[in-house]
Amino acid sequence: MKKTLIIKNATISTPVGHSARKGEEMAALHTISEGAIIAEDGIITYAGPMADMPETPQCSECEIIDAEGRAVLPGFVDSHTHLIFGGYRPDEFEWRLKGDSYMSIMERGGGIQSTVNATRTESVDSLVEKARRFLHRMVAMGVTTVEAKSGYGLDTTTELKMLEAINRLANDPQSGLRIVATFLGAHAVPKEYKGRTGEYVDMMIAEMLPAVKGKAKFCDIFTEKNVFEIEDSRRFLLAAREAGFELKLHADEIVTLGGAELAAELGAVSADHLLHVSDKGIADMARAGVVATLLPLTAFTLKEPYAPARKFIDNGAAVALATDLNPGSCFSGSIPLTIALACIYMGMSIEETITALTLNGAAALGLADITGSIEPGKQADIIILNYPNYRMLPYYVGMNCVRTVISRGSVVAQND
Ligand code: NIG
Ligand code: FE
């Protein structure tokens, strides 16, 4: 007998498909009023009008939720986070408020390196416990899939420790979430290799990639001026691709360097940040089908201009939105604020924003086949809002509109 979940009286809105929605497709949500959803053993078997709902299937464990007309959407996908880290950096936040820049703090040995120092001395258990608390808050905001990066080890031992923490959380049935691991050994050049970027890249290729193979789906790099520039990035990413990783890039975050163009050239799944992307980068990514993962909370925190979401969408690209939760450039995992910033400052419609946080986020993780929309055959990752209309999401600025969170057919959060 199957475990069955039935949601009745639902105002369902969802993007539709098994791949990223591009350009004007992003605004097209399929809406079913007076709808119902049936999920059996965590898989959606019916999503349509209540009137056409098939006979309630025989079930041993049957949960029926009356949505009472509320808006029902796919669970959110946070496809870019630095969830695992030691320590905090509130001092740097204050220095930035007084005029210091993110890169000048990094060049003085603070920034990422300071979190590296703290992460190297922290145990796996304590990294896991800290992350669990963040995940708990993320689930309450409707997140059902999270990407988590390593990248605060910058030596093989600590990178493996971070991936162990991520994979422990991923395999923990209690977490209620789907977690995808990304190897980000190329997050910065560690102090041991200062001035020897090429040698660090050599070491990552020779030692780290073989060591982390099988422990992360994606390989990511901070392609940035004075960090890993284009040639080093290309060399590293080619080796990562050869080793079987799918590719992501932190691209054109601080200056225009050509990271977007490189992502397109290498067939990366996504390029992320893109605050300073060139017009050619946008065109190349749209043509190559690289998802543009935009992180408005980081632009907000660093007081930088927002990424050109409109240009990406108007040029036929697929945009995803994510939080970038990390202890430095963006210590926030707020989905409500991400939604508000996307709509208020990036010119995205609420429909585009929903697609960006669901199906396109799933596509940025290579998961569009199994999650990101409410359709038969997909996993039942579903949220019920407090309101009948999803348009409340950006309007209730920075506030959580999510009432019930369902991950793979089970209720994992209930905000009353
Ligand atoms: O996505 N830019 C590089 N990485 C992170 C920040 C990491 C940190 O400051 O600790 C980002 O913004
Ligand atoms: Fe990041």
Side-chain angles (χ1 to χ4, degrees), residues 359-376:
L359 186 54
N360 284 7
L365 297 179
L367 296 176
D369 263 343
I370 64 163
T371 190
S373 63
I374 301 177
E375 295 175 79

Side-chain angles (χ1 to χ4, degrees), residues 14 108 286:
T14 179
R108 297 204 304 269

Side-chain angles (χ1 to χ4, degrees), residues 58-314:
Q58 288 291 316
C59 50
S60 53
E61 247 187 279
C62 212
E63 182 166 11
I64 301 176
I65 299 176
D66 186 348
E68 296 171 331
R70 295 185 175 90
V72 174
L73 304 175
F76 294 131
V77 178
D78 192 347
S79 61
H80 182 140
T81 85
H82 304 253
L83 174 71
I84 307 287
F85 55 87
Y88 294 97
R89 288 158 35 205
D91 43 356
E92 288 181 16
F93 182 79
E94 284 183 27
W95 298 339
R96 287 204 309 270
L97 293 183
K98 289 180 185 145
D100 237 334
S101 76
Y102 179 78
M103 286 312 274
S104 72
I105 294 169
M106 184 164 168
E107 276 149 22
R108 297 204 304 269
I112 293 169
Q113 183 63 52
S114 132
T115 300
V116 168
N117 299 340
T119 308
R120 285 180 179 175
T121 58
E122 198 147 330
S123 70
V124 189
D125 287 347
S126 110
L127 291 171
V128 166
E129 272 323 301
K130 187 169 166 185
R132 225 191 276 282
R133 291 196 290 276
F134 290 122
L135 289 173
H136 186 69
R137 290 178 199 126
M138 291 157 99
V139 172
M141 292 183 280
V143 173
T144 50
T145 301
V146 174
E147 183 254 19
K149 301 176 195 292
S150 70
Y152 292 120
L154 310 186
D155 61 29
T156 308
T157 313
T158 317
E159 288 296 315
L160 283 168
K161 181 171 76 179
M162 292 188 71
L163 290 172
E164 188 189 332
I166 295 168
N167 286 313
R168 258 205 227 171
L169 291 160
N171 296 322
D172 175 4
Q174 301 299 314
S175 86
L177 278 158
R178 187 182 296 98
I179 299 176
V180 179
T182 294
F183 168 59
L184 180 58
H187 198 187
V189 179
K191 56 180 187 280
E192 298 81 4
Y193 282 85
K194 197 169 178 3
R196 297 187 293 131
T197 306
E199 286 174 46
Y200 182 59
V201 172
D202 292 342
M203 187 280 278
M204 285 194 293
I205 294 173
E207 192 181 313
M208 285 191 182
L209 286 178
V212 303
K213 198 170 151 64
K215 297 178 164 64
K217 175 172 179 173
F218 291 96
C219 186
D220 194 348
I221 184 165
F222 188 16
T223 297
E224 189 59 56
K225 190 168 181 332
N226 298 329
V227 190
F228 299 100
E229 300 207 7
I230 296 297
E231 269 320 304
D232 281 327
S233 297
R234 182 184 284 111
R235 188 158 72 86
F236 175 67
L237 289 169
L238 281 171
R241 193 173 72 181
E242 187 66 29
F245 293 89
E246 299 196 53
L247 307 182
K248 287 181 172 290
L249 287 84
H250 282 64
D252 301 315
E253 177 180 358
I254 313 286
V255 300
T256 308
L257 198 75
E261 290 86 333
L262 183 64
E265 173 194 321
L266 298 177
V269 176
S270 75
D272 302 28
H273 284 288
L274 302 161
L275 306 186
H276 299 277
V277 66
S278 71
D279 287 348
K280 180 171 184 302
I282 293 175
D284 286 4
M285 282 177 60
R287 201 175 319 111
V290 180
V291 177
T293 300
L294 309 183
L295 309 161
L297 292 170
T298 311
F300 174 71
T301 308
L302 295 179
K303 294 206 271 186
E304 288 286 328
Y306 292 90
R310 260 301 18 108
K311 266 197 186 175
F312 273 108
I313 297 172
D314 295 344

